[in-house]
Amino acid sequence: MNLILLGAPGAGKGTQATKIAERYGIVHISTGDIFRANIKMGTEIGLLAKSYTEQGLLVPDEVTCAIVKDRLTWEDCQKGYLLDGFPRNLYQAEQLDTFAKIDGVVNINIDHKLLMDRLCGRRVCKECGESYHVSTLGGKTTCDRCGGELYQRKDDNPETVGARLAVYNEQTAPLIDYYSKKGLILNFTGSEAPAEVLFGEIKAVLDKFAK
Ligand code: AP5
Ligand code: MG
């Protein structure tokens, strides 16, 4: 099963991706995580990506598409994969069509009024990547899952979040129509339901789909 996860920044893509990948034994591929890992390692891709991600802008298509095209040739993708954060514009979607066969697109719809608070309050584990929100941490600075240190992403500040939302509205939202026309969209609402409840809804649909 090859899936795409669509949704605005903070819609809960990463949160759901971990659960979906685990349940269906497929690989979670997040272009954002790939860029952050490259930035941390100081690679050439990382140096390029840094200036874009810190402004909330898209890393150039040629670079991003080449990374995903290569990643999908890895052995572990044979059992299926979940693309989180790719494609992010029509060009990337058209490129993806030339090297991948997608079975479904999980689209998390969300009230955008919730996103600023979700993102500016997010804390992420340096070790395992688990996301938390400051409002539920009670001052804790380590991860419940693995004990890793929690940090705040550089792009989780009001100015950059504003830019990321504008990019989503202009460039990524049209993909809902693109995949609807192909009959691939699976719509979910991420506004009210806690992550576990939303996952239950996604699972109910994907279980039937996976058969
Ligand atoms: P990326 O890392 O993909 O960031 P994003 O799309 O902005 O999305 P986020 O990771 O911020 O949000 P999410 O939907 O994963 O939410 P999460 O589950 O963490 O991209 C970063 C940058 O990389 C881009 O800006 C761009 O520069 C570059 N890039 C990446 N892909 C690219 C591409 N294809 N082309 C070009 N450039 C690219 O949840 C958010 C918060 O909400 C957390 O605190 C979480 O605990 C909480 N939460 C989650 N679910 C719920 C719930 N149900 N109820 C309450 N709270 C919840
Ligand atoms: Mg994410």
Side-chain angles (χ1 to χ4, degrees), residues 70-140:
D70 173 73
R71 183 64 185 85
L72 296 189
T73 65
W74 293 20
E75 179 81 32
D76 59 356
C77 290
Q78 298 279 326
K79 53 193 175 185
Y81 49 80
L82 174 61
L83 291 173
D84 163 6
F86 183 92
R88 251 178 154 94
N89 59 28
L90 284 170
Y91 178 81
Q92 293 183 5
E94 285 163 3
Q95 286 298 303
L96 182 65
D97 286 342
T98 68
F99 59 80
K101 161 93 181 60
I102 299 301
D103 301 306
V105 178
V106 172
N107 178 40
I108 306 176
N109 293 295
I110 187 147
D111 180 348
H112 285 204
K113 285 198 278 286
L114 300 174
L115 298 177
M116 189 60 83
D117 173 65
R118 270 198 190 187
L119 290 175
C120 294
R122 173 169 56 186
R123 298 294 181 269
V124 184
C125 175
K126 270 187 179 162
E127 302 302 325
C128 74
E130 183 79 355
S131 280
Y132 297 88
H133 192 275
V134 274
S135 61
T136 62
L137 283 170
K140 222 167 13 165

Side-chain angles (χ1 to χ4, degrees), residues 162-207:
R164 286 158 64 196
L165 289 174
V167 168
Y168 170 81
N169 288 331
E170 281 161 29
Q171 302 195 45
T172 312
L175 295 184
I176 298 172
D177 195 40
Y178 181 83
Y179 287 114
S180 296
K181 284 183 179 146
K182 290 178 180 283
L184 292 175
I185 281 278
L186 305 164
N187 273 309
F188 298 90
T189 301
S191 298
E192 302 298 333
E196 279 304 334
V197 175
L198 174 58
F199 179 58
E201 293 169 11
I202 294 175
K203 198 169 59 177
V205 172
L206 290 184
D207 276 357

Side-chain angles (χ1 to χ4, degrees), residues 13-14 30 36 84 122 153:
K13 300 184 295 297
S30 157
R36 282 184 287 279
D84 163 6
R122 173 169 56 186
R153 265 171 52 175

